[in-house]
Amino acid sequence: MEQKKYEITDIAHPKYPWLHRIRALVPVNEDVKAGDLGGYVQTEDNLSQKDTCWIYDQAICCEDAMVRKDARMYDGSMARGSALIAGDARMYERACADGNCCIRNGEIKEDARVAGSAVVTVDAGGLFPLIAGNSRVYGNVCGWYVVKDVVLPGENCRNPTPDLFILEHGKKNVLVKERRLKAPGEPEKAKEGKRGLER
């Protein structure tokens, strides 16, 4: 039988007693060692026993929501409903994933809410969105975007460019990535890391 990476402890959430803390049984990733306590789950279906995904701090994954692959939840973030947090997605502070949303990549932080059938994902170049502030995202966001606004169902915020698109308080803006001319045959510089912006 395959070794499980975590167990559900008897430590109940102080406000939601049907949720319990997890404890790592083996080293999970660079931050989590065997014996470390994590956040809260309702059942073992909420956090994959495979890969390096983890729920930290006071974060909660409950109902039919699931965290898998290299996804991480921190602080007091919450995933509920049938939300899927996957890829190398990160959730921080009081961010919430609800409904049938799928967060494949990107950072969701502050008081942002991703819900409905929203999809948040990386572009072909490996640049991912940041959903922050008091955002309410029900549509799709792909690529190098900063969203601090509302994205309604059916709306697609897709950025296939290396420039940063910003949607904030009803206004749109673009920060153009500086590109210098290169002499023919000049070698390429090292590319940016796959996580894009330092935030």
Side-chain angles (χ1 to χ4, degrees):
M1 189 172 178
E2 193 174 321
Q3 168 72 52
K4 289 187 174 184
K5 77 176 183 187
Y6 74 90
E7 64 181 352
I8 299 175
T9 70
D10 292 332
I11 305 168
H13 190 282
K15 189 173 179 183
Y16 311 110
W18 61 92
L19 305 177
H20 291 85
R21 273 203 188 277
I22 54 174
R23 178 185 292 116
L25 297 173
V26 296
V28 175
N29 58 44
E30 65 279 5
D31 300 322
V32 180
K33 305 179 298 297
D36 285 356
L37 289 174
Y40 295 89
V41 298
Q42 187 168 339
T43 71
E44 212 172 275
D45 293 332
N46 297 132
L47 176 65
S48 173
Q49 287 282 2
K50 298 178 180 176
D51 304 310
T52 56
C53 53
W54 193 249
I55 301 170
Y56 297 80
D57 309 316
Q58 304 300 313
I60 293 171
C61 187
C62 62
E63 298 171 358
D64 294 320
M66 175 179 253
V67 178
R68 62 187 185 116
K69 301 289 185 186
D70 185 40
R72 319 256 171 114
M73 295 180 66
Y74 297 91
D75 307 319
S77 60
M78 178 184 291
R80 59 181 302 180
S82 296
L84 174 62
I85 317 301
D88 61 357
R90 302 288 186 265
M91 292 184 68
Y92 299 96
E93 287 132 3
R94 298 156 306 281
C96 179
D98 200 353
N100 293 309
C101 72
C102 178
I103 303 171
R104 293 192 185 120
N105 307 90
E107 292 183 6
I108 318 298
K109 61 197 303 186
E110 296 169 342
D111 293 299
R113 183 171 191 265
V114 178
S117 297
V119 176
V120 177
T121 191
V122 69
D123 72 358
L127 298 173
F128 65 89
L130 167 65
I131 315 291
N134 216 16
S135 295
R136 300 293 180 257
V137 174
Y138 295 84
N140 301 329
V141 183
C142 173
W144 210 16
Y145 247 102
V146 171
V147 177
K148 293 184 178 181
D149 209 330
V150 174
V151 178
L152 296 174
E155 291 183 347
N156 287 302
C157 296
R158 184 173 183 79
N159 180 4
T161 78
D163 299 329
L164 176 62
F165 291 6
I166 301 168
L167 179 60
E168 185 172 11
H169 308 304
K171 295 180 181 174
K172 297 178 182 177
N173 200 356
V174 177
L175 292 180
V176 178
K177 181 177 181 179
E178 186 178 328
R179 296 169 187 79
R180 68 176 189 86
L181 291 176
K182 295 181 297 209
E186 186 178 339
E188 288 280 329
K189 279 190 167 183
K191 292 190 175 182
E192 285 184 53
K194 75 174 187 175
R195 293 208 55 86
L197 269 184
E198 278 298 318
R199 295 180 172 84

